[in-house]
Amino acid sequence: MSSSQPFIQSSPLSVTARRRKSKFTFKHLVQLSNYSTTCALRVIAHVDLDAFYAQCEMVRLGVPEDQPLAVQQWQSLIAINYPARKFGLGRHITSMEAHKLCPELIMQHVATWREGDEKWAYHEDAFKHIATHKVSLDPYRMESRKIIATIKESLPAPPMQRVEKAGIDEVFLDLSAQVHSIMLGRYPELQEPPPYDDPTEYLPRPLTTVLDWNTDALVDLDASETEDDYLDWDDIAISIGSEIVRSVRARVREKLKYTCSGGVARNKMLAKLGSAHKKPNQQTVIRNRAVQHFLSGFKFTKIRNLGGKLGDDVVAMFNTDTVKDLLEQPLDQLKRMGDDTGSWLYWTIRGEDDSEVNPRTQIKSMLSAKSFRPAISTFEQGVRWIRIFVADIFSRCVEEGVLENKRRPKTINLHHRQGAQTRSKQSPIPQGKMFTEAILFDLAKNLLAQVVVDGRAWPCANLSLSVGGFEDGVANNMGIGGFLVRGEEAKALLASERHAFESHVEDKDSQPPEKRRKFDNGGIQKFFLPREISQEDSERDHTPFQRREDSDEPVNSEKDNDMSESSDPAPLSNISKPTICSDSPSTPKARHLDDDDIPPDIPPDIPPPSAQPLSPSHRISHFHQQSLNTYLCTRCSSNLPLAKKVEHEDWHFAKDLAKDLQAEEHGQTESARRTPVPQKSHSRGRGRLVGGGSSAVKGREKGQRRLAFGKG
Ligand code: CTP
Ligand code: CA
Ligand code: CA
């Protein structure tokens, strides 16, 4: 394959000599080696797993490759393997419809967290339990991690490797540096210095006349090009890229049994279109001379970033969805979409995209969510779900290396949806101590309490918990004894914390609600009971209440295809981001409202939910006539149905907590604020305020005082 053509140095070039020169310069070659995004020889690949979740299940269950299989989530199908697609099955048809179309179809339900469980599992009848189970994508995330690791292993070490995770089942590869190195090995003439040391000199043309594209799907050339034209270095570069992708795919197949499809081209946009062009288990090469031909056949709504709202807006403005028609629009017309968007669009449909492959594959946020059908309507139910979210998120944080102190999140967010209204509460995660599941649980629970305080918390249609702002190697992750804990030591510590956390939660939660109600409030208060762990631990490990601000952050902030992890920013601020699917097949778009926009159930200083303020005379007569079905709240003199008592007391409790926080933030002393002491009369004799004396307060770190209850 190597060329031995003598280097042609004549300059200026005669026509004959010109034909013997490449259209690329020495500078292009240098750019190729250093990943320049404007390099005309650039080689980018996109690799995407075929029917990913379905393949995960096939590999896990050892299902023969020609067996139709679909992955089920409740009554819908979310992934369909290629044998099943032959029967006309598509995503989001119901399992009943699928069974009719393909009776031999295996439908495997996704793994779920069952309420109260510590770990997700594959439950046989999960589809019946939408009300009490939550979907877990952990099995697919784990496979995804293995696949990406295998892809990286099959490439040379960085800096010769650039891999960007672009979703749960896809990566971009910038192969430029590797291709450069292979080219120099195969074509020694490229190692020569440029004539006159002038990097703008043209390269010699390659002598190669035919390339072996193996089994690649080659996109036809543009009308102005023919297969008989001379090959140039971009053809060679792309063919080397294609060889690399073939070997990467073969390695994934051989080691992990998965098939994937690839696209190879000069940029990310084209590579991504390429990988989807021929599926499954194929790769498509879009040579530079084929770009226009390739693109003009597309609807532009298939192009990266044009699949969502932006694409819809372009369709509406120009009354077409094809690249071909849009190519007729001059730049100034496209700029009606806005200057930046117009320019971006103009170049994108001409196959230009200089976005870089960003090797930062680190997760930036994690989300765990559940849509409730039917809606949930008590704090207790909310906390049970929060416990699952926390277990889900924490186990993923462990995978991210929180225990080894590699990375940890800085903020926690709770999103709450009621009807069309979404509210968010956010809190920082304290950085000066060991990051534990118990801390996360306490923070999350407190965020929910804040939502309750604001009123109108119930019925709740959707809750989601996320952590974000992951940072690398925080140095002050202190464990027991104030030492930095790492590796195995950290895991042992976690195990003991986990045990303490479990016994804490279990002791309080294990009884059925009815039974429990006989013994304690059964509402918000019990979630603030102290953990049953050593005094030393409880002193040190109380979760501080941090200053929180309501967040404007959208609920749907996740990444395309990876429905619960987010790792990279959208390239253009005005390009609509894909919406996440949470647990629900159809998550309505979040309406962004400030909390102030939402009329709380109760204005701050008048009686809380369900309470009807009565006139004084009315009140007296009611007081005397109180039937067994009502009760009078001694704190706010409201008369309420007895059935609302627990909820009402929760409300006071939460409200008091909020006041505590406010007071703390304003530097008020505990004792000055706490008259009269409200909780005592509402906690069935169990409640006791800790830190009620000023010395007790001083003995704690700022922000660490919290309510605790005696054993009664
Ligand atoms: N997925 C989903 N809901 C969506 C999009 C994707 O549940 N709206 C899941 C699918 O189950 C899928 C995985 O995310 O397996 C990756 O999605 P994608 O690559 O778009 O589809 P695949 O199922 O992998 O199919 P293909 O072979 O076409 O890539
Ligand atoms: Ca896929
Ligand atoms: Ca994908």
Side-chain angles (χ1 to χ4, degrees):
M1 279 261 258
S2 87
S3 157
S4 56
Q5 185 193 30
F7 188 65
I8 296 162
Q9 293 202 356
S10 60
S11 185
L13 299 167
S14 66
V15 174
T16 325
R18 183 87 170 81
R19 285 220 320 269
R20 300 170 79 181
K21 290 270 183 181
S22 161
K23 59 178 181 288
F24 299 98
T25 64
F26 282 84
K27 189 175 164 196
H28 287 129
L29 205 56
V30 174
Q31 286 181 323
L32 184 67
S33 69
N34 61 26
Y35 296 106
S36 162
T37 58
T38 52
C39 174
L41 289 170
R42 217 176 164 212
V43 185
I44 307 293
H46 182 256
V47 175
D48 183 281
L49 276 289
D50 301 320
F52 181 51
Y53 294 178
Q55 273 204 89
C56 290
E57 296 301 345
M58 290 169 72
V59 169
R60 183 178 71 88
L61 300 167
V63 170
E65 294 200 347
D66 55 354
Q67 163 70 48
L69 178 145
V71 178
Q72 185 178 350
Q73 178 175 308
W74 315 130
Q75 311 297 338
S76 313
L77 301 186
I78 56 168
I80 292 130
N81 75 359
Y82 280 83
R85 290 187 200 189
K86 288 191 187 138
F87 291 81
L89 308 190
R91 216 177 254 162
H92 296 315
I93 70 166
T94 66
S95 46
M96 297 256 284
E97 289 160 351
H99 182 73
K100 274 187 214 145
L101 288 167
C102 176
E104 71 258 47
L105 180 70
I106 295 178
M107 283 184 272
Q108 172 60 49
H109 199 279
V110 292
T112 55
W113 296 82
R114 187 170 50 194
E115 201 177 0
D117 283 0
E118 283 166 34
K119 182 86 183 92
W120 53 263
Y122 283 93
H123 296 281
E124 222 167 65
D125 50 357
F127 68 96
K128 293 182 190 157
H129 298 296
I130 189 167
T132 51
H133 285 218
K134 176 183 151 35
V135 163
S136 171
L137 299 180
D138 262 12
Y140 310 138
R141 264 185 226 113
M142 280 155 54
E143 291 305 287
S144 171
R145 246 178 248 126
K146 282 198 244 165
I147 292 165
I148 292 174
T150 302
I151 291 174
K152 288 182 175 177
E153 269 165 37
S154 56
L155 294 167
M160 198 79 94
Q161 161 188 132
R162 266 201 190 176
V163 179
E164 174 183 327
K165 181 183 175 207
I168 195 166
D169 77 331
E170 58 194 89
V171 290
F172 284 107
L173 313 175
D174 191 332
L175 302 173
S176 301
Q178 189 183 354
V179 165
H180 174 266
S181 133
I182 295 173
M183 270 168 76
L184 259 54
R186 284 190 193 166
Y187 304 92
E189 65 268 33
L190 296 178
Q191 294 178 22
E192 301 290 325
Y196 324 116
D197 273 338
D198 178 0
T200 62
E201 279 286 330
Y202 291 93
L203 292 164
R205 211 185 53 223
L207 277 189
T208 311
T209 50
V210 179
L211 289 169
D212 176 11
W213 295 100
N214 200 294
T215 51
D216 293 356
L218 262 192
V219 170
D220 287 345
L221 295 175
D222 296 346
S224 58
E225 305 276 339
T226 76
E227 294 290 357
D228 299 331
D229 288 341
Y230 291 111
L231 294 179
D232 209 334
W233 292 113
D234 57 342
D235 297 303
I236 301 221
I238 286 209
S239 82
I240 293 172
S242 189
E243 281 171 36
I244 297 169
V245 171
R246 205 176 299 125
S247 71
V248 165
R249 290 177 44 237
R251 180 95 181 109
V252 171
R253 176 77 163 146
E254 178 193 321
K255 191 171 166 195
L256 303 169
K257 302 200 180 88
Y258 288 93
T259 68
C260 50
S261 298
V264 188
R266 68 173 177 229
N267 60 42
K268 287 168 89 172
M269 185 253 298
L270 292 167
K272 168 124 183 155
L273 287 173
S275 71
H277 190 60
K278 291 260 165 84
K279 268 185 164 270
N281 202 16
Q282 292 184 68
Q283 64 186 56
T284 299
V285 178
I286 304 124
R287 293 167 291 178
N288 290 343
R289 294 183 292 138
V291 169
Q292 274 315 312
H293 173 76
F294 181 63
L295 273 183
S296 59
F298 272 98
K299 292 187 170 177
F300 56 76
T301 47
K302 296 278 178 221
I303 293 178
R304 211 161 77 96
N305 295 323
L306 282 165
K309 186 172 176 307
L310 177 61
D312 294 346
D313 291 350
V314 178
V315 173
M317 186 167 290
F318 299 100
N319 210 18
T320 176
D321 63 359
T322 69
V323 169
K324 201 162 166 284
D325 290 348
L326 208 58
L327 280 168
E328 288 165 18
Q329 298 290 338
L331 180 60
D332 58 344
Q333 280 302 305
L334 295 181
K335 283 192 171 177
R336 284 161 59 206
M337 299 294 305
D339 273 8
D340 288 350
T341 306
S343 301
W344 176 82
L345 192 57
Y346 181 86
W347 289 113
T348 296
I349 58 177
R350 284 163 179 78
E352 301 300 334
D353 166 24
D354 63 1
S355 59
E356 67 170 358
V357 171
N358 187 343
R360 191 203 58 225
T361 54
Q362 307 270 44
I363 290 161
K364 283 201 333 194
S365 67
M366 291 172 184
L367 175 138
S368 190
K370 173 77 186 171
S371 290
F372 304 116
R373 283 157 294 180
I376 58 165
S377 49
T378 66
F379 184 78
E380 193 178 347
Q381 279 179 301
V383 169
R384 281 208 289 265
W385 284 107
I386 278 183
R387 199 184 161 214
I388 291 180
F389 298 162
V390 165
D392 180 16
I393 288 176
F394 192 76
S395 67
R396 283 147 63 191
C397 286
V398 170
E399 293 282 336
E400 273 296 285
V402 288
L403 300 181
E404 293 83 7
N405 204 28
K406 280 193 213 134
R407 311 189 71 218
R408 66 184 282 170
K410 266 179 34 191
T411 55
I412 176 167
N413 285 272
L414 181 77
H415 301 284
H416 171 283
R417 182 162 64 76
Q418 189 193 45
Q421 290 186 329
T422 304
R423 278 179 285 167
S424 302
K425 296 286 179 185
Q426 188 180 47
S427 152
I429 296 170
Q431 297 295 301
K433 57 166 72 175
M434 180 79 184
F435 179 66
T436 64
E437 187 167 349
I439 284 184
L440 208 56
F441 182 56
D442 280 350
L443 289 170
K445 218 168 42 180
N446 291 339
L447 295 179
L448 183 62
Q450 290 176 53
V451 174
V452 174
V453 171
D454 289 351
R456 262 207 200 158
W458 317 116
C460 166
N462 179 288
L463 273 180
S464 67
L465 188 72
S466 58
V467 294
F470 274 84
E471 279 193 345
D472 287 344
V474 186
N476 59 351
N477 188 2
M478 306 298 262
I480 285 171
F483 294 108
L484 189 63
V485 282
R486 290 189 183 278
E488 290 313 305
E489 196 190 341
K491 279 181 182 145
L493 175 61
L494 174 87
S496 71
E497 294 238 3
R498 171 96 216 185
H499 179 73
F501 173 62
E502 291 307 333
S503 54
H504 158 56
V505 178
E506 241 115 68
D507 281 1
K508 308 303 164 213
D509 287 1
S510 52
Q511 300 167 45
E514 290 74 12
K515 197 170 164 206
R516 212 175 325 134
R517 284 236 159 78
K518 290 187 189 140
F519 297 102
D520 66 29
N521 178 293
I524 198 170
Q525 301 182 33
K526 80 187 170 65
F527 296 102
F528 292 87
L529 292 169
R531 281 192 280 148
E532 285 165 10
I533 43 184
S534 71
Q535 181 65 17
E536 184 205 11
D537 197 15
S538 65
E539 286 284 320
R540 199 194 60 253
D541 227 4
H542 276 165
T543 304
F545 267 122
Q546 301 283 335
R547 181 180 173 76
R548 311 157 191 98
E549 278 151 10
D550 291 357
S551 163
D552 275 335
E553 203 178 294
V555 175
N556 293 350
S557 61
E558 301 305 306
K559 185 73 186 75
D560 195 11
N561 290 341
D562 192 350
M563 291 168 294
S564 49
E565 291 170 2
S566 159
S567 57
D568 79 355
L572 282 181
S573 56
N574 54 356
I575 288 173
S576 57
K577 285 199 179 179
T579 51
I580 53 158
C581 293
S582 67
D583 216 352
S584 147
S586 55
T587 309
K589 282 203 176 122
R591 233 179 93 198
H592 302 167
L593 293 173
D594 290 326
D595 274 3
D596 290 344
D597 292 339
I598 302 166
D601 275 355
I602 318 291
D605 292 318
I606 64 164
S610 324
Q612 295 303 319
L614 304 170
S615 71
S617 61
H618 217 145
R619 196 178 286 164
I620 290 163
S621 62
H622 266 259
F623 188 73
H624 289 292
Q625 290 164 17
Q626 250 187 41
S627 76
L628 284 174
N629 293 329
T630 64
Y631 99 108
L632 181 74
C633 172
T634 52
R635 295 195 58 200
C636 63
S637 307
S638 306
N639 200 20
L640 299 118
L642 201 53
K644 293 279 181 184
K645 187 175 175 193
V646 170
E647 185 193 343
H648 181 84
E649 287 178 345
D650 281 354
W651 186 86
H652 274 302
F653 184 84
K655 194 84 191 132
D656 291 335
L657 277 177
K659 271 195 199 143
D660 284 354
L661 287 171
Q662 255 179 1
E664 197 170 290
E665 279 156 12
H666 292 106
Q668 288 181 16
T669 66
E670 180 90 298
S671 52
R673 262 184 321 98
R674 225 174 249 298
T675 43
V677 177
Q679 260 59 54
K680 281 184 176 165
S681 58
H682 291 272
S683 54
R684 306 195 179 194
R686 297 186 56 172
R688 172 170 67 76
L689 287 167
V690 174
S694 55
S695 62
V697 177
K698 277 181 201 134
R700 288 172 190 280
E701 252 176 63
K702 177 168 163 49
Q704 285 203 338
R705 178 190 40 71
R706 60 183 230 163
L707 296 169
F709 292 79
K711 298 251 165 143

